[in-house]
Amino acid sequence: MKKATHISAYIFFLAAIVMAASCNKLDEKVFSQNTPDNFFTSQADAQAALAAMYRPFQTFTGVEQAGNFILNAVSDEGNISHPNWGTLDPITYTPSSIFEFKDFYNSMYSSIATANLVIDNEAKISKLGDANYTKAVIGEAKFIRAYNYFVLVQMFGGVPLRTSLTARLDDVYIERSTEAQVYEQIIKDFSDAEAGLPPTNPAGKPTKWAASAFLAKVYLTMKQYPKAAAKAKEVVDNGPYSLQSKFAAVFNVTNENNSEVIFAVQFVRVEGYGMRMEKLVLGGDDHYAVNGESGWGLVFIQDGFYNKFSPTDDRLSTTFTNPAPGQSTYFSGKWKDPLGVSPDGHENDFILYRYADLVLVLAEAENEVNGPSQLAYDNLNAVRKRAKVPDLSGLSKDQFRDAVVNERNLELSFEELRWFDLKRTGKLKDVMIATGKNWNDKYLLFPIPQSEVDASNGKIKQNPGY
């Protein structure tokens, strides 16, 4: 992580709130005269601090480039063309060979630092409104902290677990916690968020239902299947979400924050505040913006992925920009904004969790608890019905498990989830080998950025094998 963030998360916070006074729109306000001691004197201060938690998600070091390159190119869904990132697809990377490892790791810890600042100032925030207001603010910060640690622990294993700000230079680096300790904190934070957040919130902010949905996925990842099934069913039965009638509608830039969106990173059509996913994943023949520029095509779809789909699958026309058999290279078509103004100026949001994902979480967890029950089939087939492919039936428990993993692959491709799915289900090694990628069991975890290891003076140990 950048030393400025470690040594003084306050510095990052104060810079971030200048740039992100709102996570949904540009409404800048200068805070150059503020310090942590005189901040949190108004609800506007608290909202600015909350907005700053999201800013690391909205830059190229977050989900658009760093997350896209790492999680899509390394999985069996994507490939990458540029030699600067040539070690990702074959899986020959080292702790220092790819800058995106450092970017993504730092981005998440920057978000955590700002969340910790909010949580550390609960006493001040409690004076700005009633008890429900305080619970909602702290719940939002805990939700974001939990989300970041959930991604970190899956990618890197046990990581340094910070739940308050660093104020001392001699406390800049701490040792890694165990995976169990990190998951314990994740569950606590999501549970606190579930209790404190309101059932509805403005677009881009989490709700109690989003916290519940993430708890279901955390429990699934931890193989606590009864808890995962119960929590997922709670949201499916009582939450405000539903599948869009057409798959394409989920990603339509004119239909953002639709009924399927549980939690999404918000972008606006302004240079520097918009998404760059289009430029990264669209090909040279795909004119991504009103000025007619084409995509860079850096991350494209792995050979053979197209053939996994039925010819009648309604998802083809959205998943691929060129959905016809026999193409030499396929590109992802989920992110398009015809009115985009620049490479970093597209309106499309990046959905971190959507209802189709949750429905498949319920199907998977229910199958692990009770086998392929009617509840498991109903949820799996709901996603298939929307895609216009036939229902499944008559499967064994093992067959059903494989069917859910396959459905997630088709439904959620290029949404930075496949690597997590393969790891969670114990299929990562076999699938990577079958795809022709280099394999060593050390790749079950990504390497801690070498810069972090080196700067920690021995406190942070590298993952085995790197």
Side-chain angles (χ1 to χ4, degrees):
M1 187 176 301
K2 297 175 183 177
K3 286 191 174 182
T5 302
H6 271 308
I7 295 174
S8 177
Y10 300 141
I11 295 174
F12 166 78
F13 162 69
L14 292 173
I17 56 178
V18 172
M19 300 297 293
S22 168
C23 65
N24 298 314
K25 61 181 180 180
L26 294 178
D27 183 19
E28 296 186 10
K29 181 179 178 182
V30 177
F31 291 91
S32 60
Q33 302 304 312
N34 283 285
T35 69
D37 291 335
N38 65 19
F39 206 69
F40 296 108
T41 60
S42 68
Q43 290 192 4
D45 285 354
Q47 292 307 310
L50 290 174
M53 300 185 303
Y54 301 90
R55 186 57 183 157
F57 300 159
Q58 296 167 316
T59 69
F60 70 90
T61 63
V63 294
E64 319 166 76
Q65 179 163 314
N68 175 21
F69 283 10
I70 298 169
L71 294 170
N72 287 335
V74 171
S75 82
D76 64 328
E77 289 182 346
N79 203 333
I80 196 160
S81 61
H82 199 284
N84 285 359
W85 300 280
T87 62
L88 285 172
D89 178 63
I91 313 185
T92 56
Y93 47 77
T94 69
S96 56
S97 63
I98 298 296
F99 198 74
E100 273 69 19
F101 289 136
K102 179 182 177 182
D103 282 347
F104 205 41
Y105 187 94
N106 290 351
S107 178
M108 286 181 277
Y109 270 108
S110 294
S111 181
I112 289 167
T114 314
N116 284 340
L117 179 65
V118 175
I119 296 165
D120 284 353
N121 282 275
E122 181 175 359
K124 286 185 178 181
I125 293 167
S126 68
K127 298 175 182 178
L128 306 179
D130 60 17
N132 287 334
Y133 174 80
T134 304
K135 287 194 299 182
V137 170
I138 301 303
E140 185 173 349
K142 289 188 174 182
F143 178 99
I144 295 300
R145 184 168 71 183
Y147 170 79
N148 282 291
Y149 275 126
F150 185 38
V151 175
L152 282 166
V153 74
Q154 291 177 90
M155 291 179 67
F156 301 102
V159 292
L161 184 60
R162 285 203 175 277
T163 55
S164 63
L165 283 173
T166 301
R168 293 167 52 91
L169 290 176
D170 58 1
D171 192 31
V172 170
Y173 289 97
I174 59 175
E175 294 180 355
R176 299 171 64 173
S177 298
T178 66
E179 287 192 25
Q181 290 169 329
V182 178
Y183 273 113
E184 181 181 3
Q185 185 65 48
I186 291 167
I187 291 172
K188 183 180 186 305
D189 278 350
F190 273 137
S191 297
D192 288 349
E194 182 183 44
L197 286 168
T200 60
N201 236 343
K205 285 181 170 285
T207 65
K208 74 174 295 294
W209 295 113
S212 299
F214 268 103
L215 276 171
K217 186 173 279 193
V218 172
Y219 289 136
L220 184 74
T221 303
M222 298 177 71
K223 303 190 186 307
Q224 297 183 13
Y225 299 119
K227 289 183 178 180
K231 189 59 68 174
K233 189 173 187 300
E234 177 185 331
V235 181
V236 168
D237 288 349
N238 303 299
Y241 311 112
S242 62
L243 294 175
Q244 291 284 286
S245 59
K246 293 185 178 298
F247 184 75
V250 178
F251 303 97
N252 191 317
V253 71
T254 66
N255 189 41
E256 294 179 310
N257 299 302
N258 54 69
S259 66
E260 193 158 331
V261 177
I262 296 176
F263 187 58
V265 179
Q266 307 291 299
F267 291 96
V268 292
R269 198 177 286 124
V270 176
E271 165 60 21
Y273 289 84
M275 180 191 266
R276 70 160 46 181
M277 198 71 153
E278 288 92 329
K279 195 67 172 175
L280 297 173
V281 305
L282 294 181
D285 295 330
D286 299 307
H287 301 300
Y288 76 99
V290 68
N291 60 6
E293 290 189 30
S294 60
W296 291 327
L298 291 181
V299 182
F300 54 94
I301 294 176
Q302 191 81 34
D303 290 348
F305 184 56
Y306 178 90
N307 297 325
K308 292 184 177 182
F309 289 79
S310 163
T312 63
D313 197 317
D314 188 56
R315 293 171 291 203
L316 279 168
S317 60
T318 300
T319 302
F320 302 89
T321 62
N322 43 355
Q327 299 290 322
S328 58
T329 304
Y330 291 97
F331 296 98
S332 178
K334 288 183 175 179
W335 300 278
K336 289 184 177 180
D337 179 9
L339 301 180
V341 296
S342 67
D344 293 302
H346 296 89
E347 176 78 18
N348 313 74
D349 297 336
F350 190 87
I351 305 171
L352 297 176
Y353 202 175
R354 59 186 176 92
Y355 186 64
D357 185 349
L358 176 68
V359 166
L360 293 172
V361 167
L362 176 53
E364 183 177 338
E366 170 66 14
N367 179 61
E368 296 299 335
V369 176
N370 297 311
S373 65
Q374 190 61 50
L375 176 64
Y377 274 117
D378 287 347
N379 283 277
L380 173 58
N381 286 330
V383 174
R384 293 179 62 83
K385 279 185 174 71
R386 201 253 305 267
K388 296 182 172 58
V389 293
D391 286 357
L392 295 177
S393 62
L395 303 178
S396 68
K397 184 175 183 176
D398 289 345
Q399 289 171 331
F400 190 94
R401 182 187 299 116
D402 290 343
V404 173
V405 174
N406 181 66
E407 202 64 42
R408 291 182 64 85
N409 190 198
L410 304 180
E411 176 72 22
L412 304 166
S413 65
F414 260 57
E415 296 178 47
E416 300 176 17
L417 296 170
R418 174 65 167 170
W419 189 89
F420 296 129
D421 288 343
L422 292 174
K423 179 179 176 180
R424 184 189 70 252
T425 55
K427 298 177 181 293
L428 184 59
K429 177 178 180 177
D430 290 345
V431 169
M432 294 297 98
I433 291 173
T435 310
K437 303 198 179 203
N438 178 59
W439 185 257
N440 183 300
D441 284 351
K442 69 182 181 182
Y443 295 124
L444 289 168
L445 294 173
F446 288 104
I448 300 291
Q450 193 60 41
S451 57
E452 289 293 290
V453 176
D454 294 343
S456 72
N457 294 320
K459 287 189 176 180
I460 297 177
K461 306 297 184 185
Q462 184 56 267
N463 280 326
Y466 287 103

